[in-house]
């Protein structure tokens, strides 16, 4: 079994594992049943791809999206790994190539959608090809509690029993209910070895803002990040189209995506987003799961997500390469009403509706947080030890005030109108506005009429929105969205508790300032990074693959900052494995340095390894002795392959050298070569 560290370096081009990866890789490679819950962008794929190379036989990967499977297969093939996918999106030639590789016993990873398991022939085929392991990506899809339930995932447990092979399941978000259902459905209730990695993505900047001209807020956010790939999530299909149009009119490359589009149009949109640098996609939540583009630099929500898990999953699509990424989530009272009504009017059983309100409450608590957002987010996932410095509230602490009196006035207005009205009418009562609606109902004679003139209409809107955010009031679908108190409001109403509110959220939103952009590289390195991206784009278009399959942004940034001067230095760049060094090394060195020195193919294969340096030292020693120690003997030299073998010798002595080089060469070079090897 080839070592994990060797494969990590030679195939994937990484010097070290990310936190938590190594122990998962070893458990999977040893054939243990594994459930790994890792943050989005935490390197889940490597945790089954690397063990697949360490084990005999074929690893079957069950994955939910064709686009994701195709991209992972392309990336593996670029790294020199024999991988294939059997999907409905294959050309006949692609399918034939997969079958031929399987028949030859060469294929290491076979990707399939869960729906393919429904075909009667699938089980027989998998029994015949020598499957040694099953990997399940996006394993939460097996659960009714998960947010992307796929019934065909339920067949995977039967597949594991039939093949009698170990199974490794991976997901980014799974609460207690989802974890329990994964164990039941995939592992027959027998707990696998579980790995719960930290949920923190410290490279992602978190920010929320109350809606105040939301289209302008999104346009300003995008303008400050022009040329960077981003996603804007919207609550409706219509909004994706109008906002994408507004972004295009503002000079951005932008497309829309939603579930109502024709399947071919959706595929075109997915392909464009994967392959084009700097494209923005404005989408509903139909877009996202399985998007593996590592250089998405920002994610914005034009509308509030449906839960804290959905929020975490969606922002997690940014910055998967580990480089800085930014988020902005807009929210308002209409969002909160919509999400509440969707839960209340859904067909889920009562316990599920209660749980969904709890998930929404957690997100609203994050939106209305008074201190560090990262701590609030990680606390929800059970992590109490969080350091941040990378959210809007750490950048600028919230301005808060004691809102107890204001909240009591608002609750009183609701109670005195029998909880039959929305925020607009209640605010008119508090401000003493003599509207037709108020006079017709006699609400101008209520004790609460005109008692709230210390705030204006916008400030009262902020109070009501924050009351919804703290789950003190909820819209009642049976009363057409009229606001009703929850039990959480009673202690405040009875003077048994107080509450702080944010004073700054509406005011700061109203300024519509452009947020500062975190530059990817220094000003000095920016032109080189642009040139490297242009070269990458040309290669990607020629190969018809996403740009990041050639090299990720993070790899290009490291090239721009370190400016490697030769193949050895290029091999030390993170993400440059042996196959990519061979294929693209000279091309990118040319961009960086303007010229590339010729390197013998044998020496090229040793680039970035200790043996490469030893090879160079052996060449120098040979040059000094080419005509013997006195410089008068007949010229003699070793072949490049002989020198490479000497450079890679683990235990060298005179006998071993003579066996490799022959008597004449060993006599002339042996002592010098042994001196080089002893110092290596």
């Amino acid at each position: 079994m080839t070592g994990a560290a060797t494969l990590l370096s030679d195939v994937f081009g990484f010097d070290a594992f990310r936190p938590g990866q190594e122990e998962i890789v070893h458990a999977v490679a040893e054939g243990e049943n594994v459930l790994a819950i890792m943050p989005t962008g935490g390197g889940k794929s490597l945790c089954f791809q690397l063990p697949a190379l360490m084990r005999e036989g074929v690893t079957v990967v069950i994955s939910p999206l064709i686009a994701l499977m195709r991209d992972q297969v392309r990336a593996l093939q670029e790294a020199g790994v024999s991988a294939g996918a059997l999907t409905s999106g294959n050309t006949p030639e692609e399918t034939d190539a997969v079958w031929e590789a399987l028949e030859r016993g060469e294929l290491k990873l076979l990707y399939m959608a869960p729906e393919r398991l429904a075909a009667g022939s699938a089980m027989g085929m998998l029994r015949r090809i020598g499957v040694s392991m099953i990997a399940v990506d996006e394993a939460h899809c097996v659960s009714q509690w998960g947010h992307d339930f796929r019934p065909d995932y339920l067949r995977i447990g039967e597949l594991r029993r039939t093949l009698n092979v170990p199974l490794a399941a991976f997901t980014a978000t799974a609460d207690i209910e989802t974890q329990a259902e994964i164990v039941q459905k995939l592992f027959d209730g027998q707990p696998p070895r579980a790995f719960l990695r930290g949920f923190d993505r410290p490279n992602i900047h978190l920010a929320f803002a109350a809606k105040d001209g939301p289209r302008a807020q999104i346009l300003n956010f995008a303008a400050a990040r022009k040329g960077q790939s981003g996603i804007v999530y919207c609550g409706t299909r219509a909004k994706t189209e109008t906002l994408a149009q507004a972004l295009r009119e503002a000079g951005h490359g932008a497309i829309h995506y939603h579930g109502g589009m024709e399947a071919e149009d959706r595929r075109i949109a997915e392909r464009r987003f994967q392959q084009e640098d700097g494209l923005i996609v404005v989408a509903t939540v139909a877009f996202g799961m399985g998007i593996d583009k590592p250089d998405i630099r920002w994610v914005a929500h034009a509308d509030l997500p449906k839960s804290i898990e959905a929020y975490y999953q969606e922002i997690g699509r940014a910055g998967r390469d580990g480089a800085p990424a930014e988020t902005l989530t807009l929210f308002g009272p209409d969002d909160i009403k919509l999400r509440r009504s969707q839960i209340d009017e859904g067909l889920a059983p009562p316990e599920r509706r209660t749980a969904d309100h709890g998930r929404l409450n957690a997100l609203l608590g994050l939106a209305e947080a008074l201190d560090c957002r990262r701590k609030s987010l990680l606390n929800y996932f059970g992590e109490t030890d969080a350091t941040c410095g990378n959210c809007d509230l750490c950048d600028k602490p919230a301005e808060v005030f004691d809102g107890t009196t204001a909240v009591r006035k608002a609750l009183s207005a609701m109670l005195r109108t029998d909880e039959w009205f929305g925020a607009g009418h209640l605010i008119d009562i508090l401000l003493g506005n003599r509207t037709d609606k108020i006079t017709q109902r006699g609400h101008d004679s209520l004790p609460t009429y005109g008692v709230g003139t210390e705030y204006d209409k916008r400030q009262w809107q902020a109070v009501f929105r924050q009351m919804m955010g703290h789950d003190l009031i909820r819209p009642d679908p049976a009363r057409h969205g009229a606001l009703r108190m929850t039990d959480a409001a009673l202690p405040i109403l009875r003077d048994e508790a107080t509450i702080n509110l944010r004073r700054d959220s509406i005011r700061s939103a109203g300024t519509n300032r452009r947020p500062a952009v975190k530059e990817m590289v220094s000003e000095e390195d920016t032109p080189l990074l642009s040139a490297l991206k242009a070269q990458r784009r040309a290669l990607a278009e020629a190969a018809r693959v996403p740009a990041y399959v050639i090299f990720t942004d993070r790899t290009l940034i490291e090239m721009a900052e370190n400016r490697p001067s030769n193949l050895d230095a290029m091999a030390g760049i993170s993400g440059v494995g042996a196959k990519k060094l061979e294929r693209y090394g000279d091309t990118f060195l040319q961009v960086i340095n303007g010229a590339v020195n010729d390197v013998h193919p044998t020496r090229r294969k040793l680039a970035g390894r200790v043996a490469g340096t030893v090879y160079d030292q052996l060449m120098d020693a040979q040059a000094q002795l080419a005509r013997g120690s006195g410089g008068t003997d007949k010229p003699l030299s070793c072949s490049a392959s002989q020198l490479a073998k000497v450079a890679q010798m683990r235990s060298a002595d005179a006998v071993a050298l003579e066996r490799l080089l022959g008597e004449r060469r060993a006599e002339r070079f042996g002592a010098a070569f042994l001196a080089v090897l002893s110092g290596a």
Side-chain angles (χ1 to χ4, degrees):
M1 186 185 286
T2 307
T6 301
L7 289 168
L8 181 71
S9 174
D10 291 353
V11 177
F12 297 98
F14 300 122
D15 293 332
F17 288 101
R18 294 190 193 179
Q21 281 183 323
E22 188 169 11
E23 55 184 331
I24 298 173
V25 164
H26 284 300
V28 175
E30 291 296 328
E32 297 186 58
N33 286 328
V34 166
L35 171 60
I37 302 169
M38 304 172 69
T40 301
K44 296 192 299 295
S45 301
L46 188 80
C47 291
F48 57 79
Q49 291 171 349
L50 193 52
L53 303 184
M54 298 169 68
R55 294 174 60 85
E56 297 295 327
V58 181
T59 292
V60 171
V61 182
I62 308 296
S63 185
L65 286 182
I66 291 174
L68 173 63
M69 289 188 273
R70 293 178 72 85
D71 288 337
Q72 289 202 5
V73 167
R74 285 191 196 113
L76 286 165
Q77 290 172 345
E78 280 289 321
V81 175
S82 181
L86 291 175
T87 75
S88 58
N90 280 19
T91 64
E93 293 77 15
E94 288 172 332
T95 298
D96 289 345
V98 172
W99 281 113
E100 289 168 9
L102 284 169
E103 295 295 341
R104 293 193 302 268
E106 294 177 356
L107 204 74
K108 295 302 296 178
L109 291 111
L110 175 64
Y111 282 76
M112 299 173 64
E115 287 75 12
R116 198 172 185 94
L117 299 178
S121 59
M123 208 70 79
M125 178 270 288
L126 293 174
R127 269 199 299 262
R128 187 170 59 81
I129 65 173
V131 174
S132 65
M133 182 175 74
I134 301 168
V136 182
D137 204 4
E138 310 288 358
H140 61 268
C141 294
V142 79
S143 170
Q144 295 276 4
W145 294 91
H147 51 274
D148 293 299
F149 178 58
R150 296 273 286 265
D152 288 290
Y153 265 70
L154 300 175
R155 294 190 177 93
I156 300 172
E158 178 191 350
L159 177 66
R160 182 187 65 81
R161 290 190 294 273
T162 300
L163 298 179
N164 193 27
V165 296
L167 185 146
F170 298 85
T171 183
T173 52
D175 55 22
I176 297 300
E177 297 96 338
T178 305
Q179 289 179 44
E181 196 166 354
I182 290 172
V183 171
Q184 187 61 47
K185 297 293 196 303
L186 296 185
F187 301 99
D188 293 331
Q190 297 298 312
R193 186 168 176 192
F195 295 90
L196 179 59
R197 304 313 314 169
F199 284 91
D200 193 14
R201 294 284 305 285
N203 62 310
I204 299 180
H205 185 274
L206 308 179
F208 281 73
K211 287 186 176 180
D212 184 33
R215 176 177 292 197
Q217 288 171 284
I218 294 294
L219 289 174
N220 282 342
F221 191 76
R225 289 148 189 83
K226 197 157 189 177
Q228 298 179 7
S229 293
I231 302 175
V232 182
Y233 283 109
C234 298
T236 65
R237 295 173 177 181
K239 187 182 279 191
T240 67
E241 298 183 16
T242 58
L243 192 49
Q245 179 64 30
L247 284 162
R248 286 193 294 271
E249 290 171 357
H252 299 277
I255 57 175
H256 69 272
Y257 185 104
H258 56 68
M261 295 165 59
E262 294 293 330
E264 180 60 21
D265 291 335
R266 291 202 305 274
R267 279 194 290 272
I268 291 169
E270 288 169 357
R271 195 177 310 122
R272 283 192 62 190
F273 185 64
Q274 294 282 34
Q275 295 187 356
E276 293 182 26
D277 281 335
L279 191 68
I280 299 170
V281 62
V282 186
T284 61
V285 292
F287 181 83
M289 189 178 72
I291 294 300
D292 200 26
K293 185 178 172 73
D295 59 346
I296 298 170
R297 296 270 64 86
W298 57 269
V299 170
H301 283 91
D303 300 298
L304 189 73
K306 68 178 183 180
S307 69
I308 195 163
E309 284 90 352
Y311 167 79
Y312 177 82
Q313 187 89 345
E314 287 153 18
I315 65 166
R317 285 161 192 144
R320 297 176 79 134
D321 55 4
E326 297 174 276
T327 66
L328 173 66
T329 302
L330 302 181
F331 64 103
D334 289 343
D335 291 314
I336 301 171
K337 287 180 183 177
L338 173 65
R339 294 304 186 192
R340 293 285 188 211
S341 63
Q342 286 174 336
I343 295 169
D344 289 330
E345 295 170 12
L347 300 176
E351 67 274 12
R352 177 64 188 271
R353 288 203 298 272
T354 300
D356 285 345
H357 275 300
R359 292 181 169 102
L360 178 58
N361 287 347
L363 179 61
L364 295 173
L366 180 63
E368 297 290 4
L370 303 181
D371 52 23
C372 177
R373 295 199 196 276
R374 183 164 266 99
K375 287 182 179 177
S376 297
L377 178 62
L378 295 180
N379 279 344
Y380 176 80
F381 291 112
E383 293 185 29
T384 55
D385 185 17
T387 55
C388 183
N390 199 26
C391 75
D392 55 344
L393 295 179
C394 284
D395 297 340
K396 184 181 179 183
E399 187 182 335
V400 301
F401 71 103
D402 184 345
T404 309
T405 300
V407 168
R408 283 191 193 132
K409 288 180 179 180
L411 293 172
S412 178
M414 289 169 56
L415 289 173
R416 292 182 184 279
T417 54
D418 297 322
E419 298 175 289
W420 266 107
F421 298 94
H425 183 69
L426 295 170
I427 290 171
D428 280 335
I429 292 172
L430 291 165
L431 291 175
N433 293 333
R434 201 174 296 277
T435 66
D436 290 344
K437 191 173 180 180
I438 282 177
T439 55
Q440 286 168 7
R441 288 168 172 75
H443 289 167
D444 50 349
S445 61
L446 293 174
T448 48
Y449 181 74
V451 299
T453 54
E454 69 272 30
Y455 301 122
D456 61 22
K457 182 177 181 179
R458 283 161 57 90
Q459 289 170 324
W460 273 114
Q461 287 171 337
V463 170
F464 275 92
R465 190 199 70 241
Q466 291 182 68
M467 289 170 67
M468 287 189 213
H470 289 287
D471 200 28
L472 303 179
I473 55 177
R474 288 186 186 180
D476 184 350
R479 297 188 175 194
H480 310 292
L483 295 175
R484 301 193 72 170
M485 275 195 335
T486 67
D487 290 344
L490 293 176
I492 298 173
L493 191 66
R494 296 170 181 156
D495 201 15
E496 296 169 357
T498 61
I499 185 169
N500 285 333
L501 299 178
R502 288 189 59 174
R503 191 190 301 278
D504 58 328
S505 55
I506 282 287
R507 190 170 65 216
S508 61
T511 61
N512 274 334
R513 293 173 300 168
R514 289 190 178 183
V517 186
K518 293 183 174 68
E519 296 294 341
M520 295 175 69
V521 294
S522 68
E523 187 177 346
E524 176 188 353
D525 294 329
T526 297
L528 176 55
L529 179 60
S530 297
L532 292 169
K533 282 189 168 187
Q535 179 63 72
R536 178 182 66 175
R537 189 182 311 118
L539 291 169
E541 288 174 356
R544 303 183 73 177
V545 298
Y548 68 80
V549 167
I550 307 298
F551 287 125
T552 65
D553 270 6
R554 193 172 192 178
T555 297
L556 295 189
I557 289 168
E558 196 172 328
M559 286 185 198
E561 291 176 340
N562 295 348
R563 301 183 182 236
S565 58
N566 54 42
L567 285 171
D568 286 322
M570 178 66 83
I573 299 293
S574 179
V576 182
K579 197 74 176 177
K580 290 192 177 183
L581 183 69
E582 177 186 339
R583 194 171 293 171
Y584 305 121
D586 284 348
T587 303
F588 283 86
L589 283 172
Q590 182 98 29
V591 174
I592 296 166
N593 302 306
V596 180
N597 295 325
D598 287 335
V599 179
H600 192 283
T602 302
R603 171 63 177 86
R604 180 184 294 276
K605 291 177 181 176
L606 301 178
R609 295 158 59 184
V610 172
T613 304
V614 175
Y615 180 100
D616 294 339
Q617 294 170 348
L618 293 172
M619 283 283 288
D620 290 340
Q622 176 179 263
Q624 293 172 24
L625 295 172
R627 285 185 171 272
S629 57
T632 57
D633 295 342
K634 185 178 178 180
L636 187 66
S637 64
C638 303
S639 69
S641 64
Q642 285 176 320
L643 286 176
K645 289 174 182 175
V646 173
Q648 296 174 85
M649 291 179 79
R650 295 192 177 177
S651 57
D653 55 36
V655 175
L657 277 180
E658 185 173 332
R659 192 162 50 244
L660 176 61
L661 301 176
E663 185 179 346
R664 287 175 58 233
R665 289 181 175 81
E667 182 180 346
R668 182 172 295 188
F669 303 119
F673 283 6
L674 286 172
V676 169
L677 293 173
S678 65

